Amino acid sequence: RMLCDDGQKPHSGVVLAVRGYGALVKIEGGCIGLIPRRSARLRGPRGVFTTGEGSGAFVGDDDFVLDLVPGQPVTVYIVGKQDGSGRVNLSLRPRSSPIIRLQKVVGDGRMPYEGVVTSVRDYGMFVDIGCEVQGLVPMEQLVLADGFEEFKRGDRVTVYATHKDCKTGKLLFAMRPLSTARKFWLDLSLDGQTAYEGFVTNATAHGFYVDLGVGVPGVLPRSVEGQLAGDIDVGSPVTVYVVARDLVHQRLRLSLEPSDGLVTPVEEIVADGQTPYRGVVRNKHPGNNGYFVDIRCSKLAFLSSE
């Protein structure tokens, strides 16, 4: 997670294996990444793998071509990471501008992005806007635009992100802006100070579920005493503040009170067993095994009863 993936910082590595789909490279920290076959000409034990287009080359940005063999030292650039799968995508060439993280893409359907068509399929068109993943314009969006047959690889287009999923790496585009902006849960501020309006949809022993109209639930945890400040019940309108995102379970952690400081990303927490963190107990573990503690981190910490 700590490896820089802006597509511009060089990383030293060694080719481990060459396959028909690309080359596996081991870089610092023991991380293994993939150079897709479109980015290099890969030479294996049985000769050169080809793209099936008769060129015998794996072409990437600026038609850069290189032969790779197992054991060869290489300099690579990280162009994509998927936290859920641990997959790392590499390139042999640096990008001219830093890569946009999928999490930073505004998926409201109104923000325009300039991109380049990378491929056209019978189900839609892939567009590169400089993000860590390429986005798909579905066929129905192309029919509503200027006609599917008019687009080809290399065309410059303006697109609008209408859906993104950081867990799967899925990104969808439209060719025209939506009439009203769509709120997306990954675009909500994590500063704990931006207020959002919602209403309570469910109450459990552990907290309240709140609908913010962003496609995923928000959770207001109960305190250890089993109470929340204010008069809250199912159907109640509430003003809340987002303090954390759970990418695995796709939900938000909320607070009724604004925070007095910024949230620390979990990857920046020092896990040496010596650095102190001040926190507030938010809930007791249902199995009486410990407590959930808020230390102003993007994830709730667990304190064992031992």
Side-chain angles (χ1 to χ4, degrees), residues 57-284:
F58 290 71
V59 182
D61 295 339
D62 301 325
D63 292 336
F64 182 65
V65 178
L66 181 69
D67 292 333
L68 294 179
V69 294
Q72 176 182 344
V74 290
T75 298
V76 294
Y77 304 84
I78 300 178
V79 295
K81 294 189 298 187
Q82 293 184 14
D83 293 336
S85 65
R87 179 178 176 179
V88 176
N89 290 329
L90 307 173
S91 174
L92 291 166
R93 296 204 70 173
R95 294 182 64 97
S96 58
S97 58
I99 288 177
I100 303 172
R101 293 302 303 270
L102 180 57
Q103 186 172 335
K104 298 294 184 180
V105 174
V106 179
D108 64 355
R110 299 280 297 174
M111 173 73 73
Y113 287 97
E114 299 297 323
V116 178
V117 176
T118 58
S119 65
V120 179
R121 300 287 187 261
D122 55 0
Y123 51 84
M125 175 175 72
F126 286 95
V127 177
D128 183 0
I129 63 168
C131 180
E132 58 186 320
V133 298
Q134 294 185 16
L136 173 69
V137 181
M139 170 62 74
E140 56 267 25
Q141 290 293 333
L142 294 175
V143 173
L144 293 175
D146 297 327
F148 178 76
E149 70 282 351
E150 296 184 12
F151 294 104
K152 63 183 183 302
R153 180 179 178 181
D155 285 349
R156 301 198 66 86
V157 293
T158 300
V159 293
Y160 304 84
T162 57
H163 174 80
K164 63 180 181 180
D165 188 333
C166 293
K167 185 177 180 180
T168 62
K170 185 176 182 180
L171 177 62
L172 296 180
F173 293 136
M175 296 299 293
R176 294 178 179 176
L178 300 180
S179 57
T180 57
R182 174 180 296 172
K183 285 197 297 183
F184 189 62
W185 71 292
L186 290 175
D187 295 330
L188 300 186
S189 175
L190 276 181
D191 61 4
Q193 298 175 335
T194 303
Y196 295 99
E197 302 297 326
F199 64 93
V200 178
T201 59
N202 192 20
T204 70
H206 310 298
F208 295 85
Y209 286 82
V210 178
D211 185 357
L212 297 177
V214 294
V216 300
V219 180
L220 271 171
R222 293 183 186 268
S223 68
V224 129
E225 293 81 13
Q227 300 295 326
L228 269 171
D231 184 16
I232 295 181
D233 201 354
V234 175
S236 298
V238 289
T239 300
V240 295
Y241 304 85
V242 182
V243 296
R245 278 191 291 255
D246 187 337
L247 296 178
V248 175
H249 300 97
Q250 295 199 351
R251 61 188 179 190
L252 302 166
R253 181 158 59 88
L254 310 175
S255 172
L256 286 173
E257 300 294 332
S259 134
D260 56 0
L262 295 178
V263 174
T264 302
V266 65
E267 56 266 23
E268 296 182 9
I269 294 294
V270 180
D272 60 0
Q274 295 182 322
T275 302
Y277 291 93
R278 296 188 64 84
V280 177
V281 175
R282 293 300 186 191
N283 203 356
K284 190 173 183 179

Side-chain angles (χ1 to χ4, degrees), residues 37-53:
R37 65 177 184 174
R38 64 176 178 273
S39 299
R41 184 180 181 183
L42 307 176
R43 186 175 299 278
R46 296 186 179 180
V48 177
F49 296 105
T50 67
T51 61
E53 298 174 353

